[in-house]
Amino acid sequence: TDTSLAHGLQPQAVVPLPAAPTQSTLSVRRILPANDHPPVGFPRRLGPDQMLTLLSLRPPPPAVANILPSAAAAQSRPPLLRAHRTAGPPPPSAAAAEFPAGSVPGSGTQMPPRRRRLVAGIDQDELLDPDALADPDSSFYEFNGVRVHHKVCAHGEDEDSGGQSSGSAVARSQVGLPIVLLHGFGASVFSWSRVMRPLARIAGAKVLAFDRPAFGLTSRTRRSGDDTKPLNPYSMAFSAMATLAFIDQLGAGKAVLVGHSAGCLVAVEAYFEAPERVAALVLVAPAIFAPRKGEKENSAGEQEGADKKESDDNNAAPNPFARIWGGFLGMCMWLAGLVLKLVMAVQDTVRALSTKVLVAFLRSSLAASLVRLIMDKFGVTGVRNAWYDPSKVTDHVIQGYTKPLRSKGWETALLEYTISMITDTSPKSRVPVSKRLSEISCPVLVVTGDTDRLVPASNAERLARAIPGATLEVIKNCGHLPQEERAEEFLSVVERFLQRAFGTPDEHVFQAAV
């Protein structure tokens, strides 16, 4: 061509190419439709001459400096392949991932609602600190690093709301002792809400109720594997010491302790810790194992038999063969005792290992999930079964018992309370409370419902017999919560007891005449 001559290039002869598919053939096939049918007037197959013609029509390769096409050329050139989207809603955008529930702002995308984690109707994703759940009359007292939630009612509050008999007025002027209320397992200050103010009028002094650690709105403390702290906040000793601390806070030398269910054990422990600080005990549906009558008689009989045998041995005539036989038996008993000690040591080791495994499980996330499941399935049912007539349990009562489930860490605290009962580090030499009941010397009132399904009334009867001078009161048609289900009868029983224990001699004569 003229261009070739102008650059000094010699023209070359055109050599026909073979019919094998070349890059031009592939380029032509790429732009054909998917069914490989060319349009009308377009040849199905190209001959060598036609392929050379197409090659001559192709533009020359760009210079090295112009390898990248300009933006205008890129926009003007139609794309060879076009992306096709199937019919349907548009794909979710990145903003939809930030809004897992509901609609995404600025778009029409509607996401499915988030699944809520509920325990007894309480959303576990919206838990709050105990301070945020406190009532207007709530207070917090710092004791050994734990913020203990409590409420106080004075005898002068709400005195004009209801009329009282003259006998009640005399009782108010004579008792003058504060009262500390101790709730049971799974309960809180709410369980005393119906009787706090009336008790303050009856006693003529302040009435205080506090939430034991792991319950109510008292702060939750998470313990680690290092349980060497001086006082575990979830232990029975901590609750007993907190009870005595609240007596000091009330500014009284003595107080009447009223415990319900497991709170009765706290009251008795506080008494044995400082008997001079406890004026009287009121044990309501006490969850304290009372020894049966036969156990005490059997132990006394065994002691009497041992003393008689020792007396017979001392009075018997000396016999050398008997001495030899006795020495042989003594050696056998010593060997048996040694083997028994070895077996007990192995049992203690196995028990310690199993305890560590159990504690590790109770501090796992699986145990927390199990606690939430149990509370969701049986929490409200347990409250209803505690009443004689479950149909009288109102929504207000259910809300009062489930309110602590809105506090952060409630399931962890409940597990730590369980661990404290399993790993009780009290001295081995310490006598259990059930065997020290005969040492109680203060006035004691035992109150129970005749149809208690949780702690049978028979246990309360045995407990009253085991404590010297204790008074037993059985409330008819009542379950495990006399202070809630039969509040008026409960108050009447407590008032009579306080009058007998702390009233003047003239009042005792008046009561006997009535």
Side-chain angles (χ1 to χ4, degrees), residues 135 137-139 148-153 181-184 186-196 207-212 215-218 246 400-401 404 483-484:
D135 298 325
D137 57 343
S138 296
S139 301
V148 182
H149 172 255
H150 65 281
K151 294 184 178 182
V152 180
C153 286
L181 306 176
L182 305 168
H183 65 79
S188 63
V189 170
F190 174 79
S191 63
W192 303 105
S193 58
R194 295 192 60 186
V195 297
M196 284 191 67
V207 174
L208 183 145
F210 71 94
D211 291 333
R212 296 160 52 198
F215 307 105
L217 301 182
T218 294
F246 276 114
Y401 275 91
Q483 74 274 18
E484 297 185 49

Side-chain angles (χ1 to χ4, degrees), residues 69-158:
S70 61
Q75 294 179 359
S76 62
R77 186 182 304 162
L80 298 179
L81 298 177
R82 296 181 181 273
H84 294 277
R85 182 176 58 83
T86 58
S93 60
E98 300 180 2
F99 300 93
S103 59
V104 180
S107 65
T109 305
Q110 185 71 23
M111 303 299 294
R114 175 181 56 85
R115 185 176 180 181
R116 302 170 61 190
R117 294 188 308 158
L118 299 179
V119 175
I122 304 298
D123 192 350
Q124 297 301 292
D125 294 330
E126 299 178 357
L127 301 182
L128 303 173
D129 292 329
D131 293 355
L133 299 172
D135 298 325
D137 57 343
S138 296
S139 301
F140 289 89
Y141 175 66
E142 187 83 14
F143 177 73
N144 200 26
V146 179
R147 287 175 53 82
V148 182
H149 172 255
H150 65 281
K151 294 184 178 182
V152 180
C153 286
H155 69 282
E157 298 178 1
D158 197 25

Side-chain angles (χ1 to χ4, degrees), residues 20 28 62 115 163 181 183 357 402 423 440 460 489 507:
V28 173
R115 185 176 180 181
L181 306 176
H183 65 79
V357 172
T402 57
T423 61
I440 299 177
E489 291 87 338
E507 291 174 355

